[in-house]
Amino acid sequence: MPSGKAIRGLFAFLLAGTLMWTLPEAAHPAETGGPPAEAPPPAAIGADAPDAYRIVVLGDSIGVGYEPGAAAESDLYGYADRLYEQALLRGRAELANYAILGLRTEGLIRQLQGAAERKSLPASALQDFSAYGDPRISRQAETVAAKGPELLADLAAADLVAITIGGNDFLGFIRGVLAMPAEEAEQTLKADIETILNNYAEHAETAVRLVHALAPNASIELSDQYLPFPRQTNADLYDLLTGSVGQLSADLDALAAKLQAEGIPLRIVHIGSAFAGYELSMTHMFADQDVHPNQNGYNAIAEAFAKTAWNAYVKLVPADRGTAASPAAPAIYVDGKPLVTASKPKLRGGATFLPLRDIADATGAQVSWDGKTKTALFRKNGREVAIAIGSKSLRVDGAEKPLAAPAYLEKAGSERKTYVPLAAIASGLDYQVVYRPKLYTVFIHS
């Protein structure tokens, strides 16, 4: 049970005129963290990878993955990151995140209209971000709003568009209702909530139609909403608003049925029911008086999106990093399955190394060994990768590529094994290699 002080703090937060966020100076919805030296960054959507499953994320701070106290991009790990990892379990995948902190549905509509016109917009063309009282919010919005042409290209190539939007549309109204005496609050809620819900549904429909026009081959997933305060704050109002959240969800289901009948593949992701009754354990409301999801909440949102997309969700846990004195190699998935090898992977120079035969088995490549030059040659699907013991580079179809760490020999019992960098060989054989820093895991796909 939260303390009275915590409840009063949350109540004060909801009544505040601005969102009291601590934001990273350069927050941007992009890949976070630094990969090991072995792993190249993921290709941008639209790159030469025709078989990749392409995800575009739109919406507000939930899409960004914001949590209070985030000091850098590498601190952010939201539902979009987890959704991307679920896609990586299934095949090649790419992610482009255009979510904007503080965005409302009207701002999303203008963002999409700008993309349709190939415009690099200023943030002020979307909505007034200055009201939040933090220039860093405006700077993040400026960065993303300017990417209209890139958004247009990414939507045209998208297979899935995931959207979280609406929290900023409702929060001001909820603050106002909370400030009223109980009887007035109930009357105001009953009098105004239907209009507010209808306005949101209309804006959501406009946004979805724009998305479909720009991403004609993509499935569209739009989330409903969870209550931005717990029952312990105001039980009567909580119960009333629970009914409104249910009505909003029903309205979105009706919208999805309407648009599906027109051939627009919209599906509603029900996150409101997942949070109901668990707001304090799935958000920062108790600890930080902040309505954003914590890691439990983002995991629940990702699970709802993934089950809507694929009817399945695999809970992934961070791999063991070992110790500073003895760091462990990252976990490795090859074509969606954990890599199991006879020899334990080893971390050297930031790269994961395995013996020749283990890498050949993992990639399905043919491998030959030239004892005179101490060079291994991997072949698959017309590509050749040659790597020599001690060399600081390898050759991919004859072209030199630098290595973070060279191949080496290691004695194992009565034999000596040649260890080579897995990701470098896999990339050379045209596998997609994606490192996910929060999971300390590498996903490799043919």
Side-chain angles (χ1 to χ4, degrees):
M1 177 68 67
S3 68
K5 181 179 179 181
I7 292 298
R8 289 192 296 273
L10 174 60
F11 190 82
F13 166 77
L14 287 168
L15 296 182
T18 60
L19 298 180
M20 294 176 282
W21 293 342
T22 301
L23 296 175
E25 279 293 331
H28 183 267
E31 278 295 311
T32 61
E38 64 176 5
I45 287 186
D48 186 18
D51 56 343
Y53 186 83
R54 296 174 169 93
I55 301 172
V56 173
V57 172
L58 298 170
D60 52 24
S61 56
I62 305 299
V64 174
Y66 175 76
E67 291 185 82
E73 288 182 43
S74 58
D75 294 331
L76 304 177
Y77 185 53
Y79 94 86
D81 301 288
R82 291 171 165 87
L83 184 63
Y84 179 39
E85 289 156 2
Q86 294 296 304
L88 287 169
L89 288 172
R90 292 164 172 80
R92 291 189 183 221
E94 296 165 356
L95 171 68
N97 195 329
Y98 292 91
I100 298 176
L101 295 162
L103 194 69
R104 300 189 297 272
T105 50
E106 292 172 286
L108 174 60
I109 289 169
R110 296 183 184 113
Q111 181 186 18
L112 292 166
Q113 290 170 337
E117 298 173 5
R118 295 181 172 83
K119 289 183 177 179
S120 295
L121 297 174
S124 59
L126 306 186
Q127 65 185 55
D128 181 10
F129 290 95
S130 65
Y132 291 119
D134 191 326
R136 288 170 293 184
I137 296 176
S138 297
R139 287 202 292 271
Q140 192 264 348
E142 290 287 356
T143 299
V144 183
K147 294 181 178 293
E150 293 92 331
L151 174 57
L152 177 64
D154 285 344
L155 286 171
D159 296 291
L160 172 64
V161 179
I163 309 171
T164 57
I165 195 72
N168 298 298
D169 295 51
F170 296 107
L171 193 55
F173 173 72
I174 294 174
R175 288 195 191 106
V177 170
L178 278 170
M180 299 174 183
E183 185 175 344
E184 182 184 355
E186 181 176 348
Q187 292 174 350
T188 300
L189 181 62
K190 290 179 178 179
D192 296 342
I193 192 63
E194 185 174 353
T195 298
I196 293 173
L197 290 176
N198 287 339
N199 286 341
Y200 171 73
E202 289 175 6
H203 289 149
E205 178 175 352
T206 299
V208 169
R209 289 186 181 278
L210 282 167
V211 169
H212 178 63
L214 301 178
N217 299 315
S219 297
I220 304 170
E221 294 188 5
L222 171 66
S223 76
D224 61 8
Q225 300 292 314
Y226 63 88
L227 282 182
F229 70 96
R231 194 174 193 277
Q232 292 91 329
T233 302
N234 187 321
D236 292 337
L237 187 58
Y238 180 90
D239 291 341
L240 285 171
L241 281 172
T242 295
S244 299
V245 169
Q247 183 59 53
L248 180 147
S249 184
D251 290 346
L252 290 179
D253 285 339
L255 173 62
K258 170 187 173 181
L259 295 184
Q260 287 168 9
E262 298 178 23
I264 298 176
L266 171 65
R267 289 179 288 181
I268 304 305
V269 179
H270 296 282
I271 66 172
S273 57
F275 278 70
Y278 299 96
E279 293 86 2
L280 290 176
S281 63
M282 297 178 71
T283 71
H284 288 272
M285 293 179 190
F286 179 45
D288 301 294
Q289 291 80 58
D290 186 286
V291 300
H292 288 90
N294 57 22
Q295 288 298 295
N296 290 334
Y298 278 124
N299 188 72
I301 295 172
E303 181 174 356
F305 269 91
K307 286 184 174 178
T308 302
W310 302 295
N311 297 314
Y313 182 72
V314 179
K315 189 171 183 179
L316 298 169
V317 297
D320 180 16
R321 296 174 182 263
T323 65
S326 180
I332 300 165
Y333 284 80
V334 178
D335 289 333
K337 296 180 181 180
L339 179 63
V340 178
T341 57
S343 301
K344 185 178 179 180
K346 299 188 177 184
L347 191 66
R348 187 162 173 151
T352 299
F353 281 75
L354 282 168
L356 294 177
R357 179 48 55 193
D358 287 339
I359 288 186
D361 291 343
T363 60
Q366 295 180 330
V367 62
S368 58
W369 174 254
D370 186 331
K372 291 183 178 180
T373 60
K374 295 183 179 179
T375 298
L377 181 63
F378 294 85
R379 295 186 179 92
K380 185 178 181 182
N381 296 333
R383 294 178 71 94
E384 292 187 347
V385 179
I387 184 168
I389 296 294
S391 176
K392 294 182 179 180
S393 64
L394 51 64
R395 295 193 309 277
V396 178
D397 292 338
E400 293 285 331
K401 304 287 184 181
L403 283 174
Y408 65 94
L409 289 171
E410 183 171 292
K411 189 173 183 180
S414 60
E415 61 178 335
R416 290 169 66 85
K417 292 186 176 182
T418 301
Y419 278 76
V420 295
L422 170 61
I425 301 299
S427 296
L429 294 173
D430 200 30
Y431 278 65
Q432 183 194 39
V433 179
V434 178
Y435 172 63
R436 301 299 293 161
K438 291 293 186 180
L439 290 177
Y440 197 52
T441 295
V442 178
F443 294 89
I444 298 175
H445 277 286
S446 57

